Amino acid sequence: MTNDVMVIGEHFQGALSQITLELLGKARELAGQLDGKVEAVLLGHGVEPLAAELGAADRLSIADHPLLEHFVPETYEAVIAQRIKQAGPRLVLLGSTSVGLDLIGPLSVRAAVPCFDNCTSLQVREGRVVAISQLYGGKIFAEYAVPETTALVAVVPGSFPAEPGKAAGAPEVLRLAAPPAPRTTFRKLIEPPPGDVDVSKVPLLVAVGRGIQNADNIPLAEELAETLGGAVCASRPVIDQGWLPLTRQVGKSGVTVKPKLYLALGISGAPEHVEGMKQSELIIAVNTDAKAPIFGLAHYGAVADAVEIIPLLTEQIRAASG
Amino acid sequence: MKIAVLIKQVPDLVEGLEIDASGKALDQDSLRYIISEADDHALEQALLIRERTGASVDVFALDVGEARDSLTTALAKGAERVTLVAAGLEAAPGSHALAELFAGVLRPQNFDLILTGVRAIDDLDGSLGGLLAGLLELPYVGLIRKVETGPGGETAIVQKEFPGGFITELEVKLPAVLGIQSAEQPPRYVPVSRLRQVMKTAKIGEQAVEPPQAQPIAVERLFKPEEGAGASMLEGTPEELAKQIAGLLAERHLLKG
Ligand SMILES: Cc1cc2nc3c(=O)[nH]c(=O)nc-3n(C[C@H](O)[C@H](O)[C@H](O)COP(=O)(O)OP(=O)(O)OC[C@H]3O[C@@H](n4cnc5c(N)ncnc54)[C@H](O)[C@@H]3O)c2cc1C
């Protein structure tokens, strides 16, 4: 095993994902402390242009093949497992994302290495790599030492700054072998339906969660949003119930927003939701549970029934807006 | 087509979670267990496939928490068979251990499709689906929101979620393991009367297995987010709270007019 830190790169529709820069920056820091090198691994088809953005790595392993054009878990996993076995890095960092989450399990088994998910902190302390993962919907953190073998760690997007990952450089380039014929094939990409508001561009957001209780209360939230001159967005359960369209979902599998105001109504603050809204300028949360993790993140909070507060707030805002 | 659904018990977050005296585990007495939300979606997705194709649905759960209740509910929803996997464990083991146990149970049974929730709230060492697929050497796809069967039941056509509302459609040769994020419709509701009726006749199969070999993760410390860090809390009646929130927005010039 080496002391190297490997980063599994991600890209979507021709653009490098933010998480990859966040991981590269962290990898630089860790590799410095462990006295190892940073290796970025990039899989795709026609991905060469993205290499220019991976200057923070010492080494860049590229697999470029038509079968890798779209993310097909099995195909990606086979190529990466091979590279991990060959290179034997101390750490392999992935995003806890739609890509990384499909890879860590099969990779952990195939490369016979441990894996950890939901990581939000990684540090070297006295030669040990100590990590923290967020569990139980953000209510509990677990601290553990990453075993001193090769280990896979999936990191929650937004946990580390992207800036340190943007360093310029000229990494040595390695070519990885073409993948085997997969049992999984890509059929098509389905784009979000056009026409709905893009909540990532709306400065004032009224966000509703399961605490909104039922579909009948959605119009109340819409009225509040309209009075504010903003829009309604939601956590996953609200979308799953079909109360609002998928385009309104904020979080890991939804959109990432950075509004001037994020009014979180009946949202617990689960990590998968938080990663999509934590950079909001002002977060005000209303929740009946004083221990809801959203209060750890919000600037202002009120322990109250959101369904009761919404119409009262609409009234107040109407009065104040004149 | 034979479908297996794997469901897991997790602490209900509605209850306050307490850390035990060791500081390394949750206090079991403080917990109330429920089915993991994504697993409930996996069961729903399996039942939808069954309704469309006549596939059989078998549900498996490790014997911890209220697994028996969850299996009874699965029967009431329409599963053919349910099996409690007994490994003599007091608390839910890690994902590697769970995958090892289920791999042993499922390997001889030749299921075409194995569905499980993409992730549970207590998953630290990865999630069950991907690890199980690795052990069984089957393909895996996770973060799925829809599953249809392909021609002749040879493949599954799945929709996988990406950020920003993008979805990719993949075709997976069966047998395969799929990690379900959401079923095509919300999990069905079982009326209490139906549940009572099923409870009287429910046949829950049991399969005893050896405890897992996989070592538990050496967690050094559990802790809660710092109390008092974060929000300034507003106090008052609902009317007063609404007034204060409107005031905060006005101060920041976030109101029209
Ligand atoms: C791979 C993966 C991806 C995911 N992606 C996303 C994502 O993109 N976006 C997302 O949001 N989630 C996502 N999730 C789900 C996430 O884990 C949580 O389950 C979800 O965010 C919880 O939504 P919630 O806060 O509305 O519901 P809950 O966690 O159930 O919280 C409801 C809250 O409402 C409060 N409440 C109840 N009644 C009232 C009332 N009357 N007034 C005020 N408060 C009340 C409760 O105290 C509770 O805190 C994902 C999960 C996985 C596994």
Side-chain angles (χ1 to χ4, degrees), chain A residues 96 98 141 190 236 254 272, chain B residues 119 160-161 164 167 182 223 234:
Chain A
S96 184
S98 190
F141 291 88
I190 303 169
R236 171 143 211 129
E272 294 90 351
Chain B
R119 183 198 255 168
K160 170 174 171 59
E161 292 189 2
I167 291 165
S182 304
F223 59 99
L234 309 172

Side-chain angles (χ1 to χ4, degrees), chain B residues 26-256:
Chain B
L26 290 183
D27 176 6
Q28 288 294 318
D29 295 337
S30 74
L31 305 180
R32 205 175 72 94
Y33 281 96
I34 53 167
I35 184 173
S36 171
E37 190 170 3
D39 293 348
D40 207 13
H41 281 269
L43 174 57
E44 180 61 34
Q45 185 61 65
L47 295 170
L48 291 173
I49 298 171
R50 194 189 67 164
E51 286 162 9
R52 291 197 291 253
T53 67
S56 67
V57 175
D58 271 68
V59 182
F60 297 85
L62 185 66
D63 187 13
V64 290
E66 315 297 327
R68 232 169 235 286
D69 290 356
S70 297
L71 289 176
T72 309
T73 306
L75 275 178
K77 286 183 174 183
E80 264 74 33
R81 274 173 305 276
V82 300
T83 306
L84 197 63
V85 176
L89 300 174
E90 305 249 306
S95 296
H96 282 75
L98 195 60
E100 180 192 327
L101 291 175
F102 278 132
V105 170
L106 297 179
R107 202 173 271 122
Q109 299 201 44
N110 298 318
F111 284 101
D112 300 294
L113 200 49
I114 300 171
L115 303 186
T116 189
V118 62
R119 183 198 255 168
I121 53 170
D122 60 347
D123 285 351
L124 176 55
D125 61 331
S127 295
L128 174 62
L131 292 165
L132 182 69
L135 293 173
L136 297 176
E137 295 182 52
L138 298 177
Y140 174 72
V141 183
L143 282 98
I144 291 177
R145 57 179 295 109
K146 182 176 188 174
V147 183
E148 278 175 333
T149 47
E154 302 273 309
T155 62
I157 297 164
V158 304
Q159 291 194 352
K160 170 174 171 59
E161 292 189 2
F162 283 86
F166 286 89
I167 291 165
T168 63
E169 197 169 276
L170 302 171
E171 185 160 12
V172 193
K173 265 209 192 99
L174 302 184
V177 182
L178 303 178
I180 306 296
Q181 163 93 300
S182 304
E184 290 158 60
Q185 64 179 45
R188 62 197 64 193
Y189 172 75
V190 187
V192 178
S193 56
R194 163 107 183 109
L195 198 56
R196 285 225 185 89
Q197 192 192 339
V198 170
M199 270 158 105
K200 282 188 214 143
T201 54
K203 275 208 202 95
I204 297 184
E206 275 195 41
Q207 184 171 351
V209 295
E210 293 292 315
Q213 304 274 307
Q215 291 300 309
I217 306 147
V219 168
E220 298 187 351
R221 173 169 86 98
L222 290 185
F223 59 99
K224 295 187 178 186
E226 220 180 306
E227 291 263 351
S232 316
M233 299 306 285
L234 309 172
E235 311 274 345
T237 63
E239 286 77 9
E240 287 162 355
L241 290 171
K243 204 168 196 163
Q244 291 175 57
I245 295 172
L248 288 169
L249 304 186
E251 268 171 36
R252 286 167 179 72
H253 310 290
L254 294 176
L255 297 185
K256 292 190 273 189

Side-chain angles (χ1 to χ4, degrees), chain A residues 101 209-211 213 235-237 249-254 266-268 270 272-273 286-289 292 304-306, chain B residues 37 118-119 143 181:
Chain A
L101 285 175
R210 192 171 356 229
Q213 310 289 341
S235 66
R236 171 143 211 129
Q249 179 171 306
V250 169
K252 189 187 285 301
S253 43
I267 291 180
S268 64
E272 294 90 351
H273 183 77
V286 179
N287 195 304
T288 44
D289 175 9
D305 179 350
Chain B
E37 190 170 3
V118 62
R119 183 198 255 168
L143 282 98
Q181 163 93 300

Side-chain angles (χ1 to χ4, degrees), chain A residues 269-281:
Chain A
E272 294 90 351
H273 183 77
V274 166
E275 72 175 64
M277 48 66 73
K278 69 176 186 185
Q279 294 185 61
S280 305
E281 283 173 38

